[in-house]
Amino acid sequence: MNGFDSVIASIAAKTKPSETEYRDEDGTYRCLKCNAKTRTIIKLSDKEIEVHCACKCDEQKSQEFKDREKAELIDRKKRVCFPQRAMREWNFENDDRANPRFSDAMARYADQFGDFLKESKGILMYGPVGTGKSFYAACIANRIIENGYSAYMSNFSTLVNSIQAPGVDKNEFISSLNRYDLLIIDDLGTERTSEYMQEIVFDIIDKRCTSGLPMIITTNLTSEDFKNPDSIMMERICDRILERCFPVEIKCGSRRRNEAKKSYMDVKLRLGL
């Protein structure tokens, strides 16, 4: 048997009927489930050979495999993105829409992220404690991850602790943050206000701006704090942020207090007090 005949024999051996096929009265192999034709004749040189062809079941299995692979990739990206497992479930579908105008604006940013990515346009969310800034930032991250992008969410205190860990090169670590399409830094202004801390905060923001990639910053600082920073370094930080991030103020009431109140009333009723 020459080499070509060996190839033919090998193909024929791999296309033997399976338990999911049957042969009809015309001698055609069909799928037991969808009844579609499962075999066809191809011609190689002067030889004819019967080979397997995909039926609807095969196509469905292939799509199911692709869907499963996509879901697993999304799950891996969300595990990398969020410090807390619960944040993977923060999405626009779970939004109570206490502030519809703001909810819609943040959803539009997520849906148009491809354009904002090209333009390197981010968002600065500022407002009082508990108004949902972190929630909406996570909603955006979840939406864009589901749409095929990557994101990473943290806060400056955590990032600085990572930089200070033994064996970590500061510049390499900061540069590694730029492998993500969107960088979200939560609670600017709650970190220690030492000169060293502010230098690192500036380095992270500056390198992100230089990379041409967007970021979202959330903060309890006011517009007045941004207009009149309390130090030269903070002024540089604010300037860099406003250079790349569109400021959005959230004025709605505290979500945390409302949720705590609901929980309190629920327990009170259950206890009969």
Side-chain angles (χ1 to χ4, degrees):
M1 182 182 292
N2 60 34
F4 182 75
D5 289 336
S6 296
V7 172
I8 296 295
S10 175
I11 294 174
K14 292 178 181 179
T15 57
K16 289 181 179 179
S18 69
E19 295 178 354
T20 61
E21 294 174 281
Y22 75 95
R23 199 166 191 168
D24 67 13
E25 55 189 25
D26 296 326
T28 302
Y29 281 99
R30 297 187 177 278
C31 174
L32 283 169
K33 187 174 180 180
C34 70
N35 205 42
K37 183 179 177 181
T38 58
R39 300 189 167 267
T40 189
I41 302 296
I42 63 172
K43 192 169 184 178
L44 295 176
S45 187
D46 60 342
K47 297 181 181 293
E48 291 186 343
I49 181 171
E50 187 179 58
V51 296
H52 180 81
C53 59
C55 65
K56 292 180 180 179
C57 295
D58 290 327
E59 292 171 0
Q60 181 180 356
K61 288 177 183 177
S62 177
Q63 186 58 49
E64 288 173 354
F65 177 76
K66 290 177 182 178
D67 291 342
R68 186 165 59 252
E69 273 197 326
K70 181 180 178 181
E72 289 173 355
L73 177 60
I74 288 172
D75 182 65
R76 287 197 298 274
K77 285 184 175 182
K78 288 187 177 183
R79 287 174 183 273
V80 171
C81 179
F82 297 110
Q84 299 174 22
R85 182 172 182 174
M87 297 174 80
R88 300 174 208 161
E89 306 301 323
W90 290 4
N91 53 59
F92 291 107
E93 289 70 29
N94 295 331
D95 180 13
D96 62 11
R97 296 186 62 78
N99 188 337
R101 184 166 175 267
F102 182 74
S103 297
D104 291 341
M106 297 303 98
R108 282 192 287 270
Y109 180 86
D111 291 336
Q112 299 175 45
F113 181 72
D115 293 331
F116 288 114
L117 175 61
K118 293 176 184 176
E119 299 164 8
S120 187
K121 299 294 185 183
I123 297 176
L124 168 65
M125 300 185 202
Y126 69 99
V129 173
T131 50
K133 298 182 295 296
S134 301
F135 172 79
Y136 282 112
C139 284
I140 291 172
N142 276 307
R143 176 70 63 85
I144 70 164
I145 287 174
E146 290 163 5
N147 288 340
Y149 298 99
S150 60
Y152 184 74
M153 183 170 181
S154 187
N155 57 58
F156 283 114
S157 295
T158 300
L159 293 176
V160 171
N161 288 338
S162 298
I163 288 171
Q164 292 177 326
V168 173
D169 181 280
K170 184 184 79 169
N171 292 326
E172 286 184 6
F173 179 84
I174 293 175
S175 294
S176 73
L177 298 174
N178 293 332
R179 79 182 91 168
Y180 304 101
D181 297 317
L182 178 65
L183 176 64
I184 300 173
I185 305 180
D186 206 20
D187 285 336
L188 169 69
T190 59
E191 68 279 350
R192 299 189 307 274
T193 56
S194 66
E195 184 177 345
Y196 172 75
M197 176 69 83
Q198 289 195 335
E199 284 179 359
I200 294 180
V201 169
F202 177 78
D203 283 346
I204 292 172
I205 292 173
D206 182 62
K207 282 186 171 59
R208 185 68 183 181
C209 290
T210 303
S211 74
L213 294 167
M215 61 184 167
I216 290 177
I217 305 286
T218 76
T219 182
N220 300 328
L221 298 176
T222 65
S223 59
E224 194 62 30
D225 292 325
F226 276 85
K227 291 176 184 176
N228 300 293
D230 57 8
S231 68
I232 293 176
M233 181 58 74
M234 192 61 191
E235 182 178 0
R236 295 176 68 197
I237 291 170
C238 292
D239 284 347
R240 277 310 243 161
I241 291 173
L242 293 174
E243 179 186 334
R244 294 289 185 179
C245 298
F246 181 79
V248 179
E249 183 178 12
I250 309 177
K251 297 180 179 179
C252 63
S254 173
R255 289 170 176 267
R256 291 176 193 165
R257 290 179 184 175
N258 290 337
E259 289 174 3
K261 185 177 180 180
K262 289 178 184 177
S263 177
Y264 172 84
M265 294 304 298
D266 177 61
V267 174
K268 183 177 181 179
L269 287 172
R270 290 162 62 190
L271 295 177
L273 296 175

